Amino acid sequence: MTINWKKSIIIATDVLIAAYLFLAVTAFNTPDTVVTHCEEVRIDVEKDIVQDFLTPAEVKKLLEADRLYPLHKAMDEIDTRQMEEALSRSPFVEGVECYKTLNGQVCVQLKQRMPVVRVMTSNGDSYYVDSHGGILPASHYITNMVIATGHIPQKYAQGKLAAVANYIIQDKFWRSQIVQINVLADGSMEIVPRVGEHVVYLGRPDNIGKKLERLRKFYVYGLNKAGWNKYEYISLEFDNQIICKKSKRKNKI
């Protein structure tokens, strides 16, 4: 009987490879220790232009209010879907994902709705408008947030005001320079700057980018030389021109 050594070697090699793969898969899928309880809760709130509007501590309170905070609970009893549903009910949450890991962590990854303007109307309403034009309750206080005052119907706030506020908050210079938007009865806008004792009239809230760029150039090439307190009223209502009213106060030195 002649032995086919080549065929035998191939078969033996295949058997050894199969055995190795089986042992490797078994080893990788068997944890060194089985963690049965949640040992750590990791809460990550996505950073945005407006930070600390919704903090990890507040997320923890939301879960505790529904008795869903998972720390020290048995891993097989933690319902991450229920946690997501509870957090999604918050008006400040845009999206959330919760999941468990093999080492005893429960992770919460959350995206908050970004407020762009605080609205305080002449009839006493107070709320935030987010970047998508949604309404947020005024239960949080944010420093350095542009405040909008005056005659502001909610539909106007969610549309034209939100568009202007989005433009301001996305621009580093205007985000630090504009502190207030005042809406007049006819729907036109005024802005109050942080630096300078003047009010800027924008007129109808259209072509805001062009109007503010014109104002930026006027600041750089005009007020930087003439003095920031020379004018008390600046109008950008009409294209390609700026109308200024001199201040009756003496310029400060």
Side-chain angles (χ1 to χ4, degrees):
M1 181 179 178
T2 302
I3 300 175
N4 189 334
W5 291 104
K6 184 176 180 180
K7 184 176 181 180
S8 299
I9 291 171
I10 292 173
I11 294 172
T13 302
D14 289 342
V15 171
L16 288 173
I17 292 173
Y20 170 79
L21 291 175
F22 175 78
L23 291 173
V25 170
T26 303
F28 280 121
N29 284 279
T30 303
D32 295 334
T33 57
V34 178
V35 180
T36 59
H37 288 72
C38 174
E39 297 181 351
E40 181 183 4
V41 181
R42 181 173 178 178
I43 300 174
D44 294 317
V45 179
E46 182 178 313
K47 298 297 182 183
D48 218 319
I49 296 173
V50 180
Q51 297 185 13
D52 299 327
F53 187 61
L54 189 60
T55 65
E58 290 175 302
V59 174
K60 177 182 176 182
K61 287 181 181 178
L62 290 172
L63 292 172
E64 288 177 335
D66 287 333
R67 298 181 180 180
L68 293 174
Y69 192 66
L71 189 62
H72 305 314
K73 290 185 178 180
M75 293 295 281
D76 59 357
E77 294 179 0
I78 297 171
D79 189 335
T80 54
R81 177 62 64 85
Q82 198 173 11
M83 291 171 61
E84 290 174 349
E85 291 174 353
L87 292 173
S88 295
R89 288 195 291 270
S90 169
F92 306 109
V93 174
E94 183 172 326
V96 60
E97 180 182 4
C98 302
Y99 60 91
K100 296 179 281 188
T101 67
L102 293 176
N103 62 351
Q105 274 191 345
V106 174
C107 300
V108 179
Q109 294 182 337
L110 186 143
K111 179 176 176 59
Q112 63 180 336
R113 293 170 65 184
M114 185 180 75
V116 293
V117 62
R118 170 75 181 270
V119 178
M120 302 177 70
T121 70
S122 54
N123 64 2
D125 291 341
S126 180
Y127 52 87
Y128 288 102
V129 177
D130 72 9
S131 57
H132 302 298
I135 301 297
L136 301 174
S139 57
H140 290 56
Y141 178 72
I142 307 173
T143 58
N144 298 325
M145 173 65 64
V146 175
I147 297 174
T149 58
H151 181 76
I152 310 176
Q154 193 171 102
K155 185 176 180 181
Y156 182 99
Q158 293 180 279
K160 295 180 179 179
L161 178 61
V164 173
N166 262 308
Y167 184 90
I168 292 171
I169 204 169
Q170 296 293 336
D171 187 291
K172 186 177 180 180
F173 176 78
W174 293 120
R175 188 166 69 244
S176 62
Q177 172 67 350
I178 297 174
V179 296
Q180 183 179 344
I181 300 170
N182 186 46
V183 180
L184 305 180
D186 63 354
S188 61
M189 287 184 180
E190 298 172 332
I191 58 174
V192 179
R194 187 181 304 278
V195 179
E197 297 181 0
H198 57 268
V199 173
V200 179
Y201 181 64
L202 295 176
R204 305 296 298 179
D206 49 21
N207 297 320
I208 293 300
K210 291 182 179 179
K211 290 179 179 179
L212 289 181
E213 184 57 29
R214 205 183 328 149
L215 180 62
R216 190 199 304 265
K217 291 178 180 178
F218 180 67
Y219 279 171
V220 173
Y221 301 109
L223 294 191
N224 273 344
K225 297 178 180 180
W228 284 80
N229 299 322
K230 183 173 183 177
Y231 304 107
E232 65 178 15
Y233 204 76
I234 299 172
S235 175
L236 303 172
E237 180 180 12
F238 303 109
D239 292 340
N240 302 318
Q241 61 178 298
I242 297 176
I243 301 172
C244 301
K245 180 181 179 182
K246 285 188 176 181
S247 174
K248 295 178 182 179
R249 300 180 298 271
K250 291 183 179 180
N251 290 345
K252 297 180 180 179
I253 298 176

